[in-house]
Amino acid sequence: MKKHVIFLEVEGGNDKGTDGLRPDTMPIVNSLKAVGWTAEVIFYTEAKKKELIEHIAAEADAYISRINPGNLDDESSYFEMLRQLTNRGVVGLERPEVMMSYGAKDVLVKLRDTSLVPTDTFAYYNMTDFIENFPKHLAKGERVLKQNRGSTGEGIWRVELVNKEEVDINGALFTAQVKCTEAKDNQVYNFQLGEFMNFCEQYIEGENGMLVDMKFLPRIVEGEIRILMINDQPVNVVHKKPAEDADAFSATLFSGAKYRYDTPADWPVLIKLFKEKLPMIIGILGDYDLPLIWTADFILDTDEHGNDKYILGEMNCSCVGFTSHLELSDDVARAIVKLVTKNKSKELA
Ligand SMILES: Nc1ncnc2c1ncn2[C@@H]1O[C@H](COP(=O)(O)OP(=O)(O)OP(=O)(O)O)[C@@H](O)[C@H]1O
Ligand SMILES: [Mg+2]
């Protein structure tokens, strides 16, 4: 083994620190040095692709991808580079298929037969299916529609029938009035249902387009609970409480939500539950190693006996980092060494 890894970043975007890199990148690089490894950081550009493949394949045991897909012009071209690298024996942290499996919004549908996600959670990949089924689900109660792309609440809509009587046997009427609140900024818009569904076509069309449809969980006002994971270890918990305004339901960064940083020990029930479910999650999502850095977000619900129940709202893994608690870099470096060593020895065996 070369004991050398290469971090991939991209120039620009609002996720950078004063050094132009993700705030936790240099701390991780330094933590790797402290355990006898070396690392370099490279800015990816489409133009440098060929040269990068040769350099990384020759010099590094692994790449660590630290790029928000929103900051790339052509994500599939970048993924293609990552695939070429793993084909040449470079350990991928993460591989594109792992990013897609853990990070895409339809992860919720894959996990709906576990107790972590309500069984009435759906994904639509075409307009026909969306038009046929969404009105039926909406007729039964308030829903949240989630687009796959974008982050920080863009294209995440809470949808509510203004008048519960505007339904027939096919569900809510296309002419029914709906109140739609976007998680980006908790702004409320009034639409006719048919009009709103046509507006949503933008989320369904194109590569990786989809809409996930899940029930609205009113206890979101108590907060969303994010577990930050370094591989198989929960390392901290962020409690995100939506703004106090009447329609606010968003826990995203720019919506006015308040963030509080806790430890896993502050959330024993949730952490125990999640750890118990991890083997099952790994199996359902394709039997990959758990990602290097990833998150799982939970919202409280109440079960039929009146007890608290934690519901998974989303997972992220393609560009998760930390901007506080930079000492976590030591844990990340240890996890990198563990994952790279394990995968390299598998290759040699
Ligand atoms: N089923 C639900 N019930 C109530 N509120 C929800 C539900 N799903 C999502 N939300 C709210 O909407 C917000 C945005 O949704 P979500 O986290 O799925 O999207 P996102 O845009 O990917 O956000 P992020 O920037 O965290 O990746 C959540 O933080 C939460 O406050
Ligand atoms: Mg979220």
Side-chain angles (χ1 to χ4, degrees), residues 105 144 146 151-154 156 183 214-217 220 224 226 249-252 297 299 313-314 316:
K105 285 279 194 295
V144 175
K146 305 187 180 209
S151 59
T152 60
E154 236 184 279
I156 309 289
M214 82 184 289
K215 72 171 178 181
F216 174 73
L217 301 163
I220 183 62
E224 184 179 59
R226 164 164 294 188
F249 77 111
S250 181
T252 62
D297 296 341
I299 301 171
E314 74 156 338
N316 285 299

Side-chain angles (χ1 to χ4, degrees), residues 70 85 227 321 329 340:
L85 287 170
I227 304 179
S329 64
V340 174

